[in-house]
Amino acid sequence: MDQKVIYLDHAATTAARPEVVEAMLPYFTEHFGNPSSIYSIAAANKKVITDVRERIGQSLHAPAQDIYFTAGGTESDNWALKATAEAYEKKGKHIITSKIEHHAILHTCEYLAKKGFEITYLDVDENGIVKLDQLKAAIRPDTILISIMFANNEIGTIEPIEEIGAIAKEHGILFHTDAVQAYGQLPIDVEKLHIDMLSASGHKLMGPKGIGFLYIRKGLKLRSFIHGGAQERSRRAGTENVTGIVGLGKAVEVAMETMEERREKETFMRDHLIDRILKEIPYARLNGDRNRRLPNNVNISFQFIEGESLLIMLDMKGICASSGSACTSGSLDPSHVLLAIGLPHEIAHGSLRLTLGDENTMEEMDYVVEQLKEIVEKLRNMSPLYEDFIKHSK
Ligand code: PLP
């Protein structure tokens, strides 16, 4: 009998919704025209792109013209940082970010540092929240950009975006946020939050992979990211990914319509999972803020456990999970996020991220807890460290 798969890695990626795929299909064949062509079957695709831009703009309380389609979160992050650096370097060469950003930000910052920019990496507290006092103290006359993620992809902590936006505005500094994990899960109003640039990605919200967008507030002098034709108002050239844009549009439409009910359902399942794990498995701790966290994120460290072994054994039970971010799995370095919240290496190594989605059920949550209890016990019984610990604690 085929084993049922329980997918609990929605922060890594999601399956496209059936209605997303259905919406996309005609654009591979029937509506294949290049949106830049003059004849009507192609020009209709221009209108479709405009409609999606409009829908995304509305979802953020932003004008449609401020939305630029990209190939996903990584490109949007690269664009925001590199183009700001280039456009504003005469004003200054100092950028502030945090230690828990995604590598799309951190590695772009490293690149900019090699180009002569100075980067301040803010600390976070034990729950992963950026320290606002440190942010204020880090601001200098030559600071041109603050880039802080909306919510963390590993531990789910939601950052104080409104306060950060207000600080940036007060000092006349641009504010970018990587909202790849938050967009579609949390309401976002770029006006209210004083956000100047925002990155998002289709495949995290049950849309297609390889499509995303960057919101760029009107008036910012960012230059073209990709040079060529006049697409995306000449700022990001290349024939538009029409199918991807259509799929993203559908995913955004459904995500916005269902946000409240999903949030309620996922928060309930999340809390049930956290409560049961912490109650029933000894030497386990929750990573990330208990309340200020994404509705679908559970991140737990189990002492005396090796994360990779845990993942393999969960996989054997049909459970897809992650030990950190998908991009870093495969490397033996512990997660930079878990180290930044103060976990010692050996505890960071024994961490598990479960990220829930719309299709998960309470029954699955209970199944996962039962399996986890068995696996953790089995692994600990094989661990000399655990044996030692038990001997000494007697
Ligand atoms: N930023 C964050 C916070 C993410 O979680 C991810 C993906 O995991 C990205 C950026 C990269 O997005 P994409 O996979 O669309 O390039």
Side-chain angles (χ1 to χ4, degrees):
M1 200 181 75
D2 278 347
Q3 191 176 34
K4 184 177 180 278
V5 169
I6 301 179
Y7 186 72
L8 291 176
D9 204 14
H10 292 79
T13 195
T14 57
R17 290 182 187 278
E19 55 269 57
V20 165
V21 178
E22 202 184 318
M24 290 169 75
L25 284 177
Y27 289 87
F28 286 105
T29 51
E30 219 180 310
H31 306 307
F32 64 88
N34 187 324
S36 301
S37 301
I38 295 295
Y39 39 87
S40 48
I41 61 155
N45 284 354
K46 209 178 194 89
K47 163 88 172 68
V48 166
I49 294 174
T50 305
D51 290 348
V52 176
R53 211 187 297 281
E54 193 76 46
R55 175 169 296 140
I56 294 173
Q58 277 168 11
S59 73
L60 292 170
H61 304 263
Q65 313 86 273
D66 295 356
I67 306 298
Y68 296 85
F69 294 110
T70 65
T74 302
E75 183 185 317
S76 300
D77 285 346
N78 270 262
W79 186 1
L81 266 58
K82 289 176 185 165
T84 304
E86 196 190 337
Y88 291 84
E89 67 181 328
K90 289 217 169 65
K91 182 177 174 238
K93 294 186 111 180
H94 180 230
I95 293 171
I96 301 174
T97 186
S98 83
K99 286 186 177 163
I100 63 163
E101 299 297 312
H102 189 270
H103 284 130
I105 295 290
L106 294 178
H107 290 167
T108 306
C109 284
E110 281 169 26
Y111 165 82
L112 290 172
K114 286 198 192 108
K115 298 260 165 206
F117 286 83
E118 215 181 309
I119 320 286
T120 298
Y121 298 92
L122 299 178
D123 290 321
V124 293
D125 70 11
E126 69 280 7
N127 291 324
I129 297 177
V130 162
K131 296 181 175 172
L132 294 176
D133 287 347
Q134 212 183 68
L135 168 62
K136 285 183 203 156
I139 291 172
R140 314 188 317 208
D142 61 341
T143 309
I144 52 170
L145 177 68
I146 297 171
S147 180
I148 303 287
M149 67 202 322
F150 208 107
N152 184 267
N153 47 305
E154 292 188 39
I155 55 174
T157 298
I158 300 168
E159 296 300 335
I161 294 299
E162 187 163 6
E163 288 85 339
I164 297 168
I167 293 168
K169 187 165 187 234
E170 187 191 328
H171 290 85
I173 299 167
L174 294 181
F175 175 37
H176 165 257
T177 187
D178 174 342
V180 167
Q181 294 292 338
Y183 181 69
Q185 289 224 61
L186 304 174
I188 302 178
D189 180 333
V190 291
E191 280 311 316
K192 193 163 155 254
L193 302 173
H194 305 300
I195 294 167
D196 296 306
M197 285 169 279
L198 177 144
S199 305
S201 178
H203 72 106
K204 309 289 184 180
L205 56 138
M206 305 188 84
K209 294 173 181 56
I211 184 78
F213 67 85
L214 178 66
Y215 156 74
I216 306 175
R217 182 181 289 282
K218 185 167 179 250
L220 296 198
K221 297 185 302 226
L222 301 201
R223 292 187 204 143
S224 306
F225 188 58
I226 295 181
H227 300 92
Q231 295 91 351
E232 301 301 297
R233 303 168 79 207
S234 299
R235 282 174 143 180
R236 201 273 188 186
T239 301
E240 295 89 341
N241 175 0
V242 182
T243 44
I245 292 171
V246 168
L248 173 65
K250 193 51 150 181
V252 168
E253 180 189 328
V254 182
M256 294 304 150
E257 275 168 14
T258 59
M259 188 186 288
E260 270 312 304
E261 90 196 54
R262 277 185 298 121
R263 182 156 55 160
E264 218 169 281
K265 180 185 164 192
E266 287 173 20
T267 305
F268 188 74
M269 290 192 295
R270 175 196 76 185
D271 291 344
H272 180 73
L273 200 51
I274 293 174
D275 291 344
R276 275 203 67 187
I277 293 174
L278 294 183
K279 209 160 99 196
E280 297 175 37
I281 304 182
Y283 313 115
R285 58 156 276 154
L286 176 71
N287 297 317
D289 197 274
R290 184 70 182 83
N291 303 308
R292 285 185 69 108
R293 76 187 297 131
L294 289 171
N296 73 341
N297 177 290
V298 176
N299 188 313
I300 308 261
S301 292
F302 298 97
Q303 250 176 288
F304 318 108
I305 293 282
E306 220 279 296
E308 295 290 308
S309 319
L310 185 57
L311 290 187
I312 292 166
M313 289 178 79
L314 283 169
D315 184 35
M316 280 156 57
K317 298 289 177 188
I319 300 165
C320 306
S322 160
S323 62
S325 67
C327 321
T328 48
S329 64
S331 91
L332 284 175
D333 293 334
S335 137
H336 66 285
V337 176
L338 297 178
L339 295 183
I341 62 171
L343 293 196
H345 278 235
E346 67 278 12
I347 296 189
H349 265 306
S351 301
L352 174 71
R353 180 185 75 176
L354 303 166
T355 44
L356 324 181
D358 210 6
E359 80 285 359
N360 291 129
T361 62
M362 285 297 278
E363 215 181 345
E364 290 176 345
M365 299 302 111
D366 286 325
Y367 174 77
V368 169
V369 177
E370 293 308 326
Q371 296 306 320
L372 259 180
K373 280 162 69 173
E374 266 180 40
I375 294 171
V376 167
E377 194 180 329
K378 216 181 261 176
L379 288 173
R380 281 182 179 158
N381 286 339
M382 296 191 296
S383 154
L385 281 176
Y386 185 61
E387 197 186 347
D388 226 35
F389 170 78
I390 293 296
K391 226 185 271 165
H392 285 99
S393 55
K394 272 189 186 146

